[in-house]
Amino acid sequence: VKFGTEKNRGTRLLSVSGHVRTPGVYEIEIGVPFTHIINDLGGGPFEGRQVKAFWPGGSSSKVLPASRMDVTSDIEALAAADSMAGSGGVMVADDTTCMVETTYRLLKFYAYESCGKCTPCRVGGNWAVRTVAKILAGEGSRMELQILDRIQAGLQDGRCLCGLGDSAGWVVQSAMNHFPEEFEEHAVRHTCSVKQVRAAASA
């Protein structure tokens, strides 16, 4: 019996975490869709909630919206979806997740982990953290969105000696690409529609 796809044979272990009912480590056949991984193995979102986004290969992989849960778990399919299999750490976020806040938390991690040797990573990472913090504080504008776009471009494409800089750039690029309306809300209108969702969820 052969498992996997023509180019990606076998099985692999995935760690499913976040807003799912049954988080854990699961062995999957390479090539099964993320709908199966998240909804069947992970148990799906909690009652009354909907999957909003997922990182298919850990925080270093580009985030994908729930509409792409049909993508399969093989390397080629994830690359075509502009993400990657990465570490196999599937992180799931439901509709109570603010993607601007999540971007901020992830950027803080990458800025902290930077060894400081590469200027784009050392300077760009901290600059990104400060820019998103300004947006979350209600002090942002379209200029901050333009700054973030410049930062993510400066971190990618081999400008750093290791992949940490690229990963920080991908955090910004993919979140702004798939959830532009949330960044617009925070930076331009100084509001957050997710707060209403959270309030309804806790009522």
Side-chain angles (χ1 to χ4, degrees):
V1 178
K2 293 182 179 180
F3 293 98
T5 66
E6 182 179 350
K7 293 184 178 180
N8 278 183
R9 296 292 187 188
T11 64
R12 75 174 302 202
L13 295 175
L14 296 183
S15 173
V16 183
S17 65
H19 297 146
V20 290
R21 297 171 189 258
T22 54
V25 177
Y26 298 94
E27 183 177 11
I28 60 105
E29 179 181 1
I30 297 174
V32 298
F34 279 89
T35 48
H36 170 68
I37 295 167
I38 294 172
N39 289 331
D40 297 333
L41 300 179
F46 297 103
E47 184 177 357
R49 305 271 53 86
Q50 297 179 352
V51 174
K52 179 176 186 174
F54 67 102
W55 291 258
S59 65
S60 294
S61 62
K62 294 181 182 180
V63 66
L64 295 174
S67 60
R68 295 310 316 273
M69 282 170 56
D70 60 338
V71 71
T72 53
S73 53
D74 51 291
I75 293 173
E76 288 77 20
L78 284 168
D82 196 25
S83 191
M84 64 178 182
S87 65
V90 182
M91 300 159 50
V92 183
D94 68 17
D95 53 353
T96 63
T97 301
C98 171
M99 294 306 296
V100 182
E101 291 177 354
T102 302
T103 298
Y104 177 65
R105 287 195 295 269
L106 292 176
L107 285 173
K108 284 183 69 177
F109 165 76
Y110 285 106
Y112 178 81
E113 289 298 323
S114 174
C115 73
K117 188 172 184 178
C118 304
T119 301
C121 186
R122 181 183 69 250
V123 177
N126 282 295
W127 193 10
V129 169
R130 293 195 302 270
T131 303
V132 179
K134 185 176 181 180
I135 291 173
L136 287 172
E139 301 170 357
S141 66
R142 292 195 185 277
M143 181 179 292
E144 276 64 43
L145 297 181
Q146 293 170 359
I147 290 172
L148 283 176
D149 192 48
R150 289 177 60 191
I151 292 171
Q152 63 86 12
L155 285 167
Q156 296 182 59
D157 299 328
R159 292 182 174 88
C160 301
L161 291 175
C162 79
L164 192 78
D166 288 276
S167 296
W170 293 338
V171 167
V172 178
Q173 180 201 45
S174 59
M176 290 183 68
N177 181 45
H178 291 299
F179 302 95
E181 68 284 350
E182 291 194 38
F183 284 85
E184 287 271 342
E185 276 186 348
H186 280 273
V188 180
R189 295 187 290 278
H190 304 155
T191 60
C192 178
S193 59
V194 176
K195 289 183 179 180
Q196 300 175 357
V197 178
R198 289 175 181 167
S202 61

